Amino acid sequence: MDIKDPGRTAQLELAIGARMRTRRRQLGLSQSDLAERLGVSFQQVQKYERGANRVAASTLLVAAQALGSSVSWLVGEETSGRDDDDDVFRALARPGALEILQAFNAIVDPRTRQALLALAREMAADRAV
């Protein structure tokens, strides 16, 4: 990464924030819970998760421990090898995204899952118009 490229740096901050938010929500932690573990305010956690503030290395280490992950996972070094991992984590970091995925996975009937998917696609198509 070119450290002089502010665009790439901002992308990294967004990716780290998205991973922090996704993992926090997977664990059922509030921003306040994570803030307490990090020794910062919940507003600071919000800024980290939005990519508005950079996460110091020491804070990143504490965050990884608090979230049961590794620093390399939080910075995107430990991936599945797919180039679109960051896009997936940014999408999952959106409010409600993880919950809708969990609800979708809880639907046992495949036809019901397909109907919900068709509805979501239709709603997305309506918005694009």
Side-chain angles (χ1 to χ4, degrees):
M1 174 193 319
D2 182 0
I3 58 173
K4 295 180 183 179
D5 182 355
R8 300 259 338 228
T9 302
Q11 287 177 336
L12 178 60
E13 297 305 324
L14 285 171
I16 290 170
R19 286 172 176 268
M20 285 179 67
R21 180 176 179 151
T22 300
R23 182 65 180 144
R24 173 184 62 77
R25 293 175 76 199
Q26 282 177 332
L27 296 173
L29 297 173
S30 68
Q31 288 178 330
S32 295
D33 294 335
L34 181 57
E36 186 176 318
R37 293 178 185 192
L38 299 181
V40 300
S41 67
F42 82 90
Q43 292 93 337
Q44 186 62 41
V45 170
Q46 287 176 328
K47 290 176 182 179
Y48 291 152
E49 290 183 355
R50 285 194 327 259
N53 283 12
R54 290 186 180 171
V55 183
S58 57
T59 304
L60 195 60
L61 179 60
V62 174
Q65 292 170 344
L67 296 170
S69 69
S70 66
V71 171
S72 61
W73 184 83
L74 285 175
V75 299
E77 295 280 320
E78 200 176 290
T79 66
S80 65
R82 294 178 42 187
D83 291 336
D84 60 349
D85 276 353
D86 287 340
D87 293 337
V88 170
F89 282 103
R90 272 195 291 278
L92 285 173
R94 285 187 147 175
L98 188 58
E99 290 85 352
I100 201 160
L101 180 59
Q102 290 168 331
F104 181 85
N105 285 334
I107 298 171
V108 178
D109 181 36
R111 289 178 35 204
T112 304
R113 280 195 310 271
Q114 284 302 110
L116 180 57
L117 181 57
L119 175 64
R121 285 182 174 148
E122 185 65 31
M123 291 172 78
D126 283 347
R127 185 162 192 229
V129 173

